[in-house]
Amino acid sequence: MPGTSGAPADPRRSWLRDHSELGVSLLLFALGVLVLTDALTMDVDITQRGPVGPKTVPLVVGIGLLAVAALLTLDILRGGRGEAEAGEDIDLSEPADWRTVLLLAGVFLANAVLIGPLGFPISGALLFWGSAYALGSRHYDRDPLIAAGLSLVTYFVFNNLLGVPLPGGPLMGVL
């Protein structure tokens, strides 16, 4: 049988397996380059600019991403290893729960379709209730009330306190 002869494995493959965290460093580096490129090519009118312009935060975030990528790469090359998740209680021998995944995907898709015509308070309530149902809650009397309350609170916080306009739908005149 091939591969069972006791011959040593390819050393490059072994090195990559031992340093697999370099993939995270590469992702952070690519994100940093993307953020910096976007920030440096941003077209900003001088009249829009205050003491701290709109480029400041993206530049700081991009530089931070590059710094973290470099420090993580250095740590990995010096022998540092990520710790395994201690808090996860996952039985890898069990199959994936595709019913839950598909129910959640359906709820999110329904929210995306319904948010325009129904508005956020109604579509958000359906989103919260559908998510609770998909994740196993079967309190048919309590869950819709909690979902409606959570949706209204979210709508008021975003719309009135944060100034992020959300579609009100048919309830626009009531709210």
Side-chain angles (χ1 to χ4, degrees):
M1 283 192 281
T4 59
S5 64
D10 183 11
R12 288 178 296 167
R13 182 174 247 179
S14 176
W15 188 88
L16 286 174
R17 183 170 287 131
D18 290 341
H19 298 88
S20 61
E21 292 95 346
L22 287 173
V24 175
S25 294
L26 185 62
L27 177 68
L28 290 172
F29 178 79
L31 265 160
V33 168
L34 177 69
V35 169
L36 282 176
T37 303
D38 200 32
L40 292 173
T41 59
M42 187 183 297
D43 187 29
V44 179
D45 186 16
I46 194 69
T47 59
Q48 295 175 327
R49 197 157 188 265
V52 177
K55 290 184 177 185
T56 305
V57 172
L59 286 173
V60 169
V61 169
I63 291 169
L65 284 167
L66 292 178
V68 168
L71 292 172
L72 181 60
T73 300
L74 185 63
D75 180 54
I76 293 166
L77 293 177
R78 286 184 174 176
R81 302 276 306 172
E83 291 185 28
E85 289 283 336
E88 295 293 330
D89 187 22
I90 298 174
D91 186 3
L92 295 176
S93 65
E94 291 293 318
D97 185 7
W98 287 107
R99 179 184 180 272
T100 301
V101 172
L102 291 175
L103 280 172
L104 283 172
V107 166
F108 283 112
L109 181 62
N111 183 56
V113 169
L114 296 174
I115 196 167
L118 296 181
F120 182 82
I122 295 173
S123 70
L126 292 173
L127 170 73
F128 295 135
W129 177 78
S131 298
Y133 179 83
L135 294 172
S137 179
R138 298 297 183 262
H139 297 278
Y140 299 116
D141 53 343
R142 180 186 69 186
D143 288 346
L145 297 174
I146 293 173
L150 188 58
S151 179
L152 286 173
V153 167
T154 304
Y155 177 78
F156 281 118
V157 166
F158 275 85
N159 202 54
N160 298 344
L161 298 179
L162 296 176
V164 177
L166 294 175
L171 297 178
M172 188 62 118
V174 178
L175 299 175

